Amino acid sequence: QRTSPEELTNLLKQCQLDKVQNQYISSFSKGMRQKCSFLFAYIQKPAILILDEPFVGLDAMTMKLVLRLLEKI
């Protein structure tokens, strides 16, 4: 099942990446790159997701969001 454009837009807003979606990732901070990496994996809708230090570089609000999204897998 593919991630719908609406769902992707919603995820970008929740991660506060919607305003930078047309920029190169190389210009992002570590936290922003970490959010992108997680979203790249999450939108594939995997049955299982193995993460190595998923919270490094993330603020508290984004950590809570990641935990909520992981509960949905």
Side-chain angles (χ1 to χ4, degrees):
Q1 182 182 24
R2 297 188 66 147
T3 301
S4 71
E6 295 81 19
E7 185 179 3
L8 185 54
T9 299
N10 185 36
L11 287 168
L12 287 171
K13 284 181 184 175
Q14 288 180 52
C15 288
Q16 299 174 332
L17 293 171
D18 55 319
K19 300 209 180 349
V20 295
Q21 65 185 350
N22 295 319
Q23 294 181 17
Y24 290 107
I25 292 175
S26 61
S27 69
F28 290 1
S29 68
K30 174 150 178 77
M32 291 170 70
R33 287 193 305 265
Q34 188 79 343
K35 290 179 196 181
C36 287
S37 294
F38 175 76
L39 286 180
F40 290 152
Y42 181 80
I43 63 174
Q44 301 301 315
K45 305 219 183 216
I48 188 168
L49 186 59
I50 298 172
L51 303 170
D52 181 28
E53 300 186 25
F55 302 118
V56 172
L58 297 181
D59 57 84
M61 187 174 77
T62 304
M63 280 189 243
K64 289 178 184 177
L65 171 65
V66 168
L67 287 172
R68 280 197 318 266
L69 292 172
L70 287 173
E71 288 175 351
K72 293 181 180 182
I73 293 178

